[in-house]
């Protein structure tokens, strides 16, 4: 049996680049889709056209490949798992005609995210005032903090109910001492006691399952969540998420080994967006930014918050291409720029008169960078019905080719709309 390399799809900017769409499309040719990092802070949208309607699906914890009945999925050890959120997703899919539960496998080592983590997330944000991160308030940071502090609970702990209860109570008591909140432990424990058999039936050794799948000739796709510029190490710290959504997190978050990595595909939007606070050197704070937001439907898939919009930022995106070693890119939402007569691209940053080779680590320096732009002509026609690279208007092709040259990475896939069929492959 030939051992296949696995493929990775990762967000290359500040999130919401359109990862879910490509994962869904590519899943047709894979056997397993795994998530490696993050939690229900992710919101991955998939539009599927059936005979008489186009249906929208938003995945938070479950991998976006599940709409194909042949897909098995693995929730990797690197996530923070809110069990009620996952079951809500499973139930919602059921109401839409997709019974996926038997195909969802969860790593025994995954960290559990409880409701008190959400309370703490909210309390920390509120205490920061204008310096708040603008988190999704899904409890992501506090749950990862428990894991790193070695006081968190994992899925495997649920297999031993009495010690689970003990550890859980000690964990809540510790947080109550620090944060002073009232908490209804009994209701949460009752929920876990009730859901336990269902949950344990989904538990596997995730790394082993993935390794055996590769050894058995199966094809594995890893779906990134959040994005590289939100990475706790490489992102615009502290305005980041609390995990490694870039390539390193794929290995630690699944147990897959680097020698098995094949393609790493980066998702890049044809302009930049960001939700929450933090630096955004090419942000458009004017009517143009508003019009891109409206044209692109730039409102959060998880929280509904308006996304900040700006011009394509080559220094930021190239930084991400380098860190992840992308083998190809998917440029998404090119159609959103249809009406613009001119499109700007940020080509370099300078600081104190010197061109930068990378992104400054310090926010103070990042706030002082000067951005150099290049202006390209728009195409001013609708791309939504274009079905091949060759049929794109010249100016649209030129925009794509210019970005490809500047990023020095093949722009293999081009999105011209939300649906599966609105993807051009070069
Ligand atoms: P993700 O978090 O990276 O999966 O992205 P989101 O789902 O949060 O946001 C991306 C949005 O853009 C979704 O509403 C997608 O349906 C939509 N989208 C993806 N690709 C395209 C595209 O090429 N054109 C347009 N117009 N929309 C797209
Ligand atoms: P997908 O997978 C966009 C942002 C939040 C906030 C910061 C920290 O849909 O691309 P957190 O709740 O993780 O502690 O929030 O990170 N953020 C995202 N922004 N898309 C995401 O996921 C995000 N996940 C986290 O808005 O600024
Ligand atoms: Mg999203």
């Amino acid at each position: 049996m030939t051992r296949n390399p696995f493929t990775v799809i990762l967000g290359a900017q500040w999130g919401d680049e359109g990862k879910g769409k490509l994962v869904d499309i590519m899943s047709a040719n894979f056997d397993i889709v795994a998530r490696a990092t993050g939690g229900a802070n992710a919101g991955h949208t998939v539009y599927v056209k059936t005979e008489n309607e186009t249906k929208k699906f938003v995945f938070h914890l479950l991998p976006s490949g599940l709409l194909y009945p042949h897909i098995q999925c693995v929730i990797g050890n690197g996530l923070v798992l809110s069990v009620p959120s996952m079951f809500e997703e499973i139930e919602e899919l059921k109401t839409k005609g997709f019974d996926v539960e038997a195909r969802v496998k969860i790593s025994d080592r995954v960290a559990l995210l409880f409701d008190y983590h959400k309370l703490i997330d909210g309390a920390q944000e509120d205490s920061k005032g204008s310096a708040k991160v603008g988190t999704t308030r899904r409890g992501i940071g506090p749950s990862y903090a428990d894991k790193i502090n070695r006081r968190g609970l994992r899925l495997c702990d649920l297999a031993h109910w009495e010690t689970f209860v003990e550890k859980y109570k000690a964990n809540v008591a510790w947080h109550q001492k620090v944060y002073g909140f009232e908490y209804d432990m009994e209701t949460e424990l009752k929920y876990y006691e009730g859901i336990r058999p269902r949950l344990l039936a989904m538990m596997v050794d995730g790394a082993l399952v993935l390794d055996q799948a590769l050894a058995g000739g199966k094809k594995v796709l890893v779906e990134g969540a959040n994005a590289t510029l939100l990475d706790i190490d490489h992102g615009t710290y502290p305005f980041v998420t609390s995990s490694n959504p870039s390539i390193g997190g794929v290995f630690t978050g699944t147990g897959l080994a680097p020698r098995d990595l094949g393609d790493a595909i980066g998702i890049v939007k044809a302009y930049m967006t960001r939700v929450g606070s933090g630096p955004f050197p090419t942000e458009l704070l004017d009517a143009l930014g508003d019009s891109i937001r409206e044209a692109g439907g730039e409102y959060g898939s998880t929280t509904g918050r308006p996304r900040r919009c700006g011009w394509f930022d080559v220094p930021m995106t190239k930084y991400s291409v380098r860190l992840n070693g992308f083998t190809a890119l998917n440029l998404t939402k090119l159609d959103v720029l249809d009406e613009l007569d001119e499109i700007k691209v940020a080509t370099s940053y300078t600081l104190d008169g010197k061109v930068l080779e990378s992104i400054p680590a310090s926010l103070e320096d990042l706030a002082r960078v000067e951005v150099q732009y290049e202006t390209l002509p728009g195409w001013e026609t609708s791309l939504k019905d274009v079905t091949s690279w060759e049929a794109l208007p010249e100016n649209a092709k030129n925009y794509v080719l210019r970005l490809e040259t500047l990023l020095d990475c093949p722009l293999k896939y081009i999105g011209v709309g939300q649906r599966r069929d609105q993807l051009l492959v070069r």
Side-chain angles (χ1 to χ4, degrees):
M1 196 72 72
T2 323
R3 192 176 171 95
N4 283 310
F6 67 93
T7 299
V8 177
I9 290 180
L10 296 175
Q13 295 158 332
W14 281 295
D16 306 324
E17 301 92 345
K19 297 173 285 295
K21 179 185 160 186
L22 191 68
V23 170
D24 168 68
I25 292 172
M26 290 190 65
S27 294
N29 298 312
F30 280 80
D31 300 297
I32 295 185
V33 182
R35 274 277 303 270
T37 57
N41 50 354
H44 297 177
T45 318
V46 174
Y47 282 86
V48 180
K49 193 179 167 189
T50 55
E51 248 169 63
N52 38 23
E53 58 176 338
T54 300
K55 274 194 187 160
K56 178 182 177 182
F57 299 84
V58 183
F59 293 88
H60 300 285
L61 277 161
L62 299 177
S64 308
L66 279 170
L67 297 178
Y68 290 94
H70 71 275
I71 287 287
Q72 300 284 326
C73 85
V74 174
I75 295 184
N77 58 277
L79 277 86
V80 280
L81 179 71
S82 159
V83 174
S85 305
M86 180 190 70
F87 279 111
E88 255 170 52
E89 258 187 272
I90 289 177
E91 293 308 324
E92 200 186 324
L93 278 172
K94 214 179 212 170
T95 62
K96 292 183 173 169
F98 295 82
D99 192 354
V100 301
E101 189 165 331
R103 296 189 278 124
V104 178
K105 304 291 171 219
I106 313 169
S107 165
D108 46 9
R109 289 160 170 84
V110 78
L112 296 177
L113 184 155
F114 295 99
D115 283 351
Y116 57 85
H117 291 124
K118 297 184 194 174
L119 285 181
I120 298 166
D121 196 352
Q124 288 185 341
E125 282 288 274
D126 293 340
S127 75
K128 287 181 181 163
S130 64
K132 69 174 190 287
V133 175
T135 72
T136 57
R137 297 186 177 238
R138 296 292 191 273
I140 306 296
S143 180
Y144 275 119
D146 269 7
K147 170 175 163 173
I148 301 299
N149 278 329
R150 294 159 295 180
R151 62 172 68 252
L153 280 88
R154 308 196 292 175
L155 182 58
C156 56
D157 292 320
L158 264 175
H160 307 277
W161 181 247
E162 277 167 22
T163 48
F164 174 85
V165 172
E166 266 173 42
K167 288 179 193 172
Y168 166 89
K169 286 187 172 166
N171 199 257
V172 175
W174 185 82
H175 285 110
Q176 280 180 316
K177 228 193 277 173
V178 179
Y179 293 97
F181 54 74
E182 296 284 310
Y183 198 68
D184 182 359
M185 286 194 257
E186 291 312 317
T187 304
E188 194 164 50
L189 278 175
K190 225 176 237 142
Y191 169 80
Y192 277 91
E193 195 173 14
I195 206 87
R196 205 164 75 100
R198 223 171 133 188
L199 200 49
L200 291 178
M202 301 159 92
M203 183 170 87
V204 295
D205 180 330
L208 181 66
V209 164
L210 292 172
D211 182 66
Q212 288 176 339
L214 292 182
K218 295 248 185 328
K219 291 184 74 183
V220 174
L221 177 65
V222 179
E223 171 176 5
N226 326 126
T228 305
L229 301 177
L230 294 170
D231 187 286
I232 186 85
D233 286 277
H234 301 292
T236 45
Y237 188 89
F239 299 100
V240 292
T241 191
S242 296
S243 67
N244 290 115
S246 53
I247 196 78
V250 169
F251 305 111
T252 51
T254 58
L256 283 162
R259 65 155 187 184
D260 285 319
L261 176 65
D263 290 328
I265 304 170
I267 313 292
V268 297
K269 210 178 268 190
Y271 48 95
M272 307 294 282
T273 62
R274 172 162 209 163
V275 204
S277 326
F280 188 168
T282 65
E283 184 169 14
L284 287 162
L285 293 163
D286 54 7
L288 191 52
D290 295 341
S291 72
I292 293 176
R293 181 177 311 111
E294 294 314 311
E298 296 295 355
Y299 292 88
S301 320
T302 298
T303 57
R305 289 178 292 174
R307 296 177 184 146
R308 300 155 64 193
C309 298
W311 295 123
F312 194 96
D313 187 330
V314 170
M316 281 285 178
T317 312
K318 201 167 175 173
Y319 172 75
S320 174
V321 169
R322 166 165 61 82
L323 287 167
N324 292 297
F326 289 132
T327 54
L329 299 174
N330 172 11
L331 184 72
T332 63
K333 306 190 95 163
L334 189 61
D335 55 295
V336 173
L337 306 180
D338 279 352
E339 295 192 357
L340 302 182
D341 57 347
E342 285 188 335
I343 304 169
K344 285 193 182 183
V345 173
T347 51
S348 56
Y349 289 175
T350 51
L351 186 63
D352 300 327
K354 284 199 194 107
V355 177
L356 297 181
E357 283 186 310
S358 185
I359 301 301
S362 109
L363 290 190
E364 286 74 12
D365 289 338
L366 191 50
R368 290 195 307 116
V369 295
E370 282 180 34
V371 184
Q372 288 73 49
Y373 289 94
E374 193 172 288
T375 303
L376 285 92
W379 43 92
E380 299 180 84
T381 31
S382 169
L383 300 185
K384 72 177 173 27
D385 295 321
V386 173
T387 55
S388 70
W389 162 254
E390 291 73 27
L392 276 178
E394 272 321 291
N395 285 352
K397 273 190 197 158
N398 288 339
Y399 183 68
V400 175
L401 292 173
R402 185 66 187 134
L403 291 183
E404 183 173 70
T405 303
L406 289 165
L407 295 171
D408 195 20
C409 188
L411 274 174
K412 186 168 177 198
Y413 307 93
I414 294 144
V416 292
Q418 292 174 320
R419 296 190 318 263
R420 284 174 176 169
D421 55 308
Q422 290 172 311
L423 183 78
L424 317 179
V425 183
R426 281 172 73 207

